[in-house]
Amino acid sequence: MSSASGSAVEKRAPAAAAPRGLTRSAYPRYVAGKLAGAAVSLFAVLVTSFFLFRLIPGDPVKFMTGGRPVSAEQLAVYREEFGLDLPLWEQFTDYCGKALSGDLGTSYQFHAPVVDKITEALPNTLLLTGTAFVLYTALGAFLGTRSAWRHGGLGDRLNTGLALTLYSIPSFWLGLLLIIVLSVGVDPIPGLFPTGGMESGREEGFAHVLDVAHHLVLPVVTLVAVEYGQTLLVTRSALLDEMGSDYLTTARAKGLRDDLVRRRHAVPNALLPTVTLVFVNLGRTVAGVILVETVFSWPGLGGLFYQALSVPDLPLVQGLFFVFAAAVILMNTLADLLYPMLDPRVGR
């Protein structure tokens, strides 16, 4: 009994200012290693964003002429204005130098700084993806915990089956289906929600808030339906790995209620995989969801990225790609830094 109790205490050992799995001198080295890895990844993204999108077919200079017939001299002026006449290596060094100072260039189609366009669209994306993130994370973690604790039962089979089905459905297809059924209307179901956009543009004050919330319903439902299954399955799998542990047997032998055993002992020790997924998804909230935003004409970063690709608007595409990837890298790094505080065994 004492051995099992010792195991339980070790698994649930709280983290101090310097995690027990790492000494006070080792933890700064651990942090420095993770930050260095993030810096290397960000530079790799910077390089990739420059060269990758130059493979896209299409001439941005011809797009800037608006389809009007222009002379070769006029095209040369445009190329010189945007630096497209320079050798590729020189364009790359110029791009990296400006990016490090926070200048991501000027959009070809909007004739505005890329940073300004990203800043303008970012709140709309965060409203959509942030709302969906909170809902599908909470729903997936709750149902995943319940399914694992009663694994093999009817509820577990229904939850897992539905989650797998919805997770396998393309988000754009589900979004279009919801538009047909709940926006356009199919007898006897009337059209209840707008087909797209973020607002009607006629309301003010609290009525405007309700209008935005009305437009938000279908894209959020689409994201929650497709994404909650991933959190459910990861939480369920992690908790099932803990189910047969000695410390849970000891906790039950002490007479603790089943709900208390699950909440205080099993769930905290099964957190790491779920925390990883939560931080990855948190990074993706900045990246937006290109297909869903495009289907619902939501004026966020995803829709902006789709518009930029169709030109191609190289500075805007490069800037958005860098921001998307940087958000995920930074959230992953933050998760790595929190791991030793959640589980002292990490980093030993």
Side-chain angles (χ1 to χ4, degrees):
M1 181 69 71
S2 60
S3 173
S5 300
S7 175
V9 171
E10 181 183 357
K11 286 196 172 217
R12 296 185 291 108
R20 293 186 184 180
L22 295 166
T23 64
R24 291 183 181 276
S25 60
Y27 188 64
R29 290 198 300 271
Y30 174 83
V31 172
K34 295 300 181 183
L35 293 179
V40 172
S41 298
L42 287 173
F43 180 73
V45 169
L46 197 65
V47 174
T48 303
S49 67
F50 179 83
F51 291 102
L52 176 64
F53 296 108
R54 276 163 173 72
L55 301 177
I56 300 175
D59 188 349
V61 174
K62 291 184 179 179
F63 172 84
M64 287 183 281
T65 64
R68 302 184 305 273
V70 294
S71 64
E73 290 77 11
Q74 289 174 306
L75 290 177
V77 170
Y78 275 118
R79 293 185 186 279
E80 183 178 358
E81 179 182 352
F82 290 96
L84 296 175
D85 60 327
L86 299 174
L88 192 60
W89 67 267
E90 194 170 341
Q91 293 183 44
F92 173 67
T93 55
D94 182 59
Y95 168 69
C96 289
K98 289 182 177 179
L100 292 175
S101 65
D103 182 5
L104 296 177
T106 301
S107 169
Y108 295 160
Q109 57 181 323
F110 297 107
H111 302 286
V114 170
V115 173
D116 290 350
K117 296 302 297 182
I118 292 175
T119 304
E120 179 185 324
L122 181 59
N124 300 338
T125 286
L126 292 179
L127 175 62
L128 171 59
T129 57
T131 302
F133 168 78
V134 171
L135 292 176
Y136 70 67
T137 299
L139 180 63
F142 175 77
L143 293 179
T145 301
R146 295 287 176 176
S147 294
W149 207 249
R150 296 177 175 83
H151 64 283
L154 177 61
D156 177 32
R157 293 197 297 271
L158 290 176
N159 282 333
T160 306
L162 181 61
L164 285 170
T165 301
L166 291 174
Y167 186 54
S168 64
I169 294 177
S171 58
F172 73 89
W173 184 86
L174 181 59
L176 290 172
L177 187 64
L178 290 177
I179 289 176
I180 293 172
V181 176
L182 297 177
S183 292
V184 178
V186 176
D187 289 334
I189 302 174
L192 301 173
F193 299 98
T195 56
M198 183 176 171
E199 57 188 1
S200 300
R202 297 185 297 272
E203 290 78 8
E204 297 180 357
F206 185 66
H208 177 259
V209 174
L210 292 178
D211 181 45
V212 173
H214 193 212
H215 285 76
L216 195 63
V217 171
L218 289 187
V220 166
V221 168
T222 302
L223 287 175
V224 171
V226 172
E227 297 291 343
Y228 91 96
Q230 187 180 23
T231 306
L232 183 152
L233 295 172
V234 169
T235 303
R236 178 181 181 275
S237 176
L239 193 53
L240 283 176
D241 289 341
E242 297 288 332
M243 294 286 285
S245 300
D246 292 340
Y247 70 93
L248 294 185
T249 304
T250 302
R252 291 190 180 96
K254 289 180 178 179
L256 295 179
R257 297 193 312 273
D258 203 46
D259 286 344
L260 201 60
V261 172
R262 180 183 69 245
R263 188 172 65 253
R264 291 190 179 179
H265 297 269
V267 172
N269 285 300
L271 274 178
L272 283 189
T274 305
V275 167
T276 301
L277 180 61
V278 166
F279 274 90
V280 170
N281 288 336
L282 189 59
R284 288 172 55 203
T285 61
V286 177
V289 274
I290 298 173
L291 294 178
V292 172
E293 288 190 8
T294 302
V295 167
F296 289 98
S297 302
W298 190 265
L301 294 180
L304 190 63
F305 188 78
Y306 177 80
Q307 289 180 326
L309 276 176
S310 62
V311 173
D313 189 340
L314 295 179
L316 187 53
V317 170
Q318 291 167 180
L320 286 168
F321 181 80
F322 179 74
V323 169
F324 294 167
V328 175
I329 290 171
L330 292 177
M331 286 299 105
N332 279 344
T333 303
L334 182 57
D336 286 338
L337 298 181
L338 288 177
Y339 284 161
M341 301 179 185
L342 296 173
D343 190 339
R345 295 167 295 182
V346 175
R348 282 183 175 175

